């Protein structure tokens, strides 16, 4: 599909909106007039008699539509919004599809809701969502609920607060829907990289702790994510956790999460070691409780093993266990998904995170647009069921985000029993404070307190680059102190 961008600079929003309606079409942006052939979207801005004219049209698979609007006073924000509205109307008419999140293309709806509530108050913030961004009343209410649950945790944040993220980019095997950089540990290359990677990770933790100390930062939460951190042996996790405890000031650290991940690597011995080391939140992620779907997505464990791992974590004494589930998995049905949600609720998992399947180009599984739209309708029904079942069971939504190429343009929501919010997820998703991140694929985000400014330091994406370029990477970490010298 060719998308024409004529006389304006809003190509980012234009492309995002087109992607929302046509998630897997190849989109080619064109900035000059030319003969229009094939499926196309045309957007333009021009001055006409002292007014600004915004225009969008689309011609897709024989269907056409167009929309024109004029605004009197030109500001970038007004023009961008009005052009987006023209385009939204056109694409909605052509496809007959109304996204539940309306024109909202951003990945952090609750962050925007929090900001609007601060600026306008709750009622006006909700009106902004429904009337201006055309978000459905249900999704508006959801974003507002999340903002409300987060309030006390956000208020607790200190100017020098930070969290620590540790990346373990290895998995026991690769799932078909995965677009993450994680390596299957069964490969000979991954096996060679693994031990040196852990040694360097230890070193990076020590260096990072030095910067935290130097800048008088206060550690609030620790999060081991992946990949599958549960792939670490009991001894390897102990070494890394002790490195953290020996080098960072843990006085104010109120949460320590370890994403064990998959049931096929979660053992009673590992759980006990984690508990003894002070981990207080564990994630065991079944994704579905349907064995057929598990097999279809390449997970090497059964639903019964996920329940066993969960029970084992409970017996070890963990009182905050998260379970991830995904709506829209290939081969899943509405009934199958409902059973998965009901099972997680019956287990009384303190946290249940409901994701909507996102298919990136790098996953083995890539949807076509038609399949995507069909799957989107089913995924919407699944998400609607999850939302009402979890609310009825006493869970509250405490964090949320959206991803590009998500089936049905839906959202991912973390639900919890009251008081069991994962603070790290809120800090990270709402970009409340600095996250110092270590390991391959990790991104350190430096947040200036009280300002809407974030600076990122990227680690190399792949373990082989991380291992070979470690010294260069550590030089980049100088930015931490430079940042705090500027913003303190
Ligand atoms: S366990 Fe998670 S990170 Fe690993 S391959 Fe599967 S989806 Fe990707």
């Amino acid at each position: 599909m060719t998308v024409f961008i004529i006389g304006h600079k809003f190509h980012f929003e234009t492309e995002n909106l087109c992607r929302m309606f046509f998630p897997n079409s190849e989109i080619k942006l064109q900035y000059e007039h030319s003969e229009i052939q094939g499926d196309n979207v045309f957007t333009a801005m021009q001055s006409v008699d002292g007014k600004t004219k915004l225009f969008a049209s689309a011609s897709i698979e024989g269907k056409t539509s167009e929309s024109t609007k004029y605004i009197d006073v030109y500001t970038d924000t007004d023009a961008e919004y009005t052009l987006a509205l023209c385009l939204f109307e056109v694409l909605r008419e052509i496809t007959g599809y109304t996204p539940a999140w309306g024109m909202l293309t951003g990945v952090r709806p609750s962050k925007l809701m929090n900001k609007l509530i601060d600026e306008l108050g709750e009622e006006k913030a909700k009106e902004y969502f429904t009337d201006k961004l055309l978000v459905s009343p249900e999704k508006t209410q959801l974003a507002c609920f999340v903002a409300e649950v987060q309030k006390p945790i956000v208020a607790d944040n200190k100017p020098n607060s930070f969290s620590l993220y540790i990346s373990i980019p290895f998995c026991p095997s690769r799932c078909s829907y995965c677009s993450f950089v994680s390596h299957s540990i069964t490969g000979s290359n991954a096996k060679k990289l693994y031990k040196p990677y852990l040694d360097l990770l230890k070193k990076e933790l020590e260096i990072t702790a030095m910067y935290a100390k130097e800048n008088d930062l206060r550690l609030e939460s620790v999060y081991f994510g992946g990949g599958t951190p549960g792939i670490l042996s009991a001894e390897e996790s102990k070494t890394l956790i002790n490195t953290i405890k020996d080098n960072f000031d843990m006085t104010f650290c109120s949460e320590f999460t370890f994403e064990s991940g998959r049931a096929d690597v979660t053992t009673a011995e590992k759980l006990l070691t984690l508990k003894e080391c002070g981990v207080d939140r564990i994630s065991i992620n079944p994704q579905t409780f349907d064995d057929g779907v598990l097999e279809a997505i390449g997970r090497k464990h059964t639903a019964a093993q996920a329940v066993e791992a969960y029970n084992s974590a409970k017996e070890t004494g963990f009182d905050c266990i998260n379970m991830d589930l995904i709506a829209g998995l290939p081969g899943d049905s509405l009934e199958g998904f409902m059973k998965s949600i009901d099972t997680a609720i019956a287990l009384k998992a303190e946290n249940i995170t409901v994701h909507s399947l996102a298919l990136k180009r790098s996953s083995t599984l890539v949807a076509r647009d038609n399949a995507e739209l069909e799957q989107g309708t089913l995924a919407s029904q699944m998400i609607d069921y999850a939302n009402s079942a979890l609310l009825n069971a006493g869970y509250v939504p405490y964090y949320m985000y959206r991803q590009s190429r998500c089936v049905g343009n839906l959202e991912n929501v973390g639900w919890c029993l009251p008081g069991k919010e994962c603070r790290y997820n809120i800090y990270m998703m709402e970009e409340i404070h600095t996250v110092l991140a270590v390991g391959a694929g990790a991104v350190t985000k430096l947040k200036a307190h009280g300002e809407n400014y974030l600076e990122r330091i990227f680690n190399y994406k792949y373990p082989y680059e991380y291992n070979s370029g470690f010294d260069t990477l550590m030089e980049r970490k100088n930015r931490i102190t430079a940042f705090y010298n500027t913003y303190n």
Side-chain angles (χ1 to χ4, degrees), residues 168-184 226-229 259-262 264 285 287 297-299 301 324 326:
I168 308 292
F170 297 96
C171 289
S173 63
R174 191 145 171 96
C175 306
S176 62
Y177 60 88
C178 185
S179 58
F180 187 67
V181 294
S182 189
H183 285 29
S184 166
T228 306
E259 249 190 72
S260 188
R262 288 169 40 167
D264 41 344
N285 303 327
Q287 316 299 17
I297 59 173
R299 304 276 283 201
H301 63 82
D324 277 2
I326 302 180

Side-chain angles (χ1 to χ4, degrees), residues 356-374:
S356 308
L357 183 69
L359 290 179
K360 304 280 163 76
R361 290 226 162 82
S362 50
S363 67
T364 318
L365 203 70
V366 178
R368 290 174 303 112
D369 282 333
N370 284 343
E372 175 74 23
L373 284 175
E374 282 167 29

Side-chain angles (χ1 to χ4, degrees), residues 210-226:
M210 202 186 74
Y211 284 115
K213 215 169 282 173
E214 194 170 288
N215 293 289
D216 196 24
L217 301 183
R218 170 184 151 125
L219 181 59
E220 306 283 353
S221 70
V222 178
Y223 195 104
F224 272 78

Side-chain angles (χ1 to χ4, degrees), residues 105-120:
T105 53
V107 297
R108 294 182 164 83
S110 50
K111 186 174 181 197
L112 177 62
M113 180 57 91
N114 266 316
K115 180 174 169 274
L116 290 171
I117 291 175
D118 282 351
E119 288 170 8
L120 311 168

Side-chain angles (χ1 to χ4, degrees), residues 201-466:
L201 202 55
K202 201 166 160 265
K203 218 164 158 187
E204 190 181 2
L205 280 168
E206 288 161 2
I207 293 169
T208 306
M210 202 186 74
Y211 284 115
K213 215 169 282 173
E214 194 170 288
N215 293 289
D216 196 24
L217 301 183
R218 170 184 151 125
L219 181 59
E220 306 283 353
S221 70
V222 178
Y223 195 104
F224 272 78
T228 306
I231 205 157
L232 298 173
S233 69
E235 205 45 47
E236 287 161 350
S237 331
K238 192 173 174 178
T239 306
L240 288 174
I241 295 171
N242 283 342
T243 305
I244 295 170
K245 294 204 297 199
D246 292 346
N247 288 278
F248 288 85
D249 180 354
M250 303 298 286
T251 315
F252 300 103
C253 181
S254 60
E255 183 182 274
F256 201 126
T257 297
F258 189 95
E259 249 190 72
S260 188
R262 288 169 40 167
D264 41 344
V265 290
T266 307
T267 65
E269 184 209 2
K270 289 183 190 178
L271 288 167
L272 185 62
T273 304
L274 293 172
K275 182 80 191 143
E276 284 170 356
C277 285
V279 170
D280 55 12
R281 183 175 179 271
I282 282 274
S283 199
I284 292 163
N285 303 327
Q287 316 299 17
T288 166
F289 283 101
D290 183 309
D291 284 340
V293 179
L294 281 170
E295 194 178 335
I297 59 173
R299 304 276 283 201
K300 305 279 183 230
H301 63 82
T302 61
Q305 277 175 288
V307 175
E308 255 170 57
Y310 174 85
N311 288 335
S312 181
K314 273 272 151 213
E315 280 157 24
T316 312
F318 285 102
D319 62 2
C320 193
I321 305 177
N322 174 66
M323 294 196 124
D324 277 2
L325 295 172
I326 302 180
L329 283 173
D332 206 357
S333 61
L334 181 57
E335 294 68 34
F337 179 79
M338 287 161 75
K339 195 180 128 218
S340 295
I341 290 286
D342 294 346
T343 306
I345 291 175
L347 287 169
K348 297 194 173 66
E350 288 78 9
N351 291 184
I352 300 176
T353 310
V354 184
H355 295 265
S356 308
L357 183 69
L359 290 179
K360 304 280 163 76
R361 290 226 162 82
S362 50
S363 67
T364 318
L365 203 70
V366 178
R368 290 174 303 112
D369 282 333
N370 284 343
E372 175 74 23
L373 284 175
E374 282 167 29
Q375 196 71 345
T377 314
L378 177 60
S380 286
Q381 293 167 347
M382 290 172 165
I383 291 292
D384 287 349
Y385 177 77
N387 292 355
S388 65
L390 286 157
L391 273 175
N392 287 338
Y395 286 79
V396 293
Y398 75 94
Y399 90 109
M400 74 186 319
Y401 65 102
R402 296 173 70 213
Q403 281 167 289
S404 59
R405 295 176 191 272
C406 220
V407 284
N409 293 302
L410 293 161
E411 66 280 1
N412 302 320
V413 179
W415 295 82
C416 69
L417 292 172
K420 292 289 185 181
E421 298 83 5
C422 169
R423 301 172 80 91
Y424 172 81
N425 284 334
I426 297 177
Y427 297 144
M428 185 260 310
M429 206 45 75
E430 300 300 314
E431 298 179 326
I432 290 166
H433 66 218
T434 287
V435 175
L436 299 182
V438 303
V443 182
T444 286
K445 289 183 186 169
L446 303 168
K447 175 77 182 17
H449 183 73
E451 295 190 42
N452 198 18
Y453 178 69
L454 255 183
E455 187 171 316
R456 292 177 171 80
I457 306 174
F458 293 90
N459 276 11
Y460 293 124
K461 217 169 167 186
Y462 296 98
Y464 79 89
E465 300 170 297
Y466 177 84

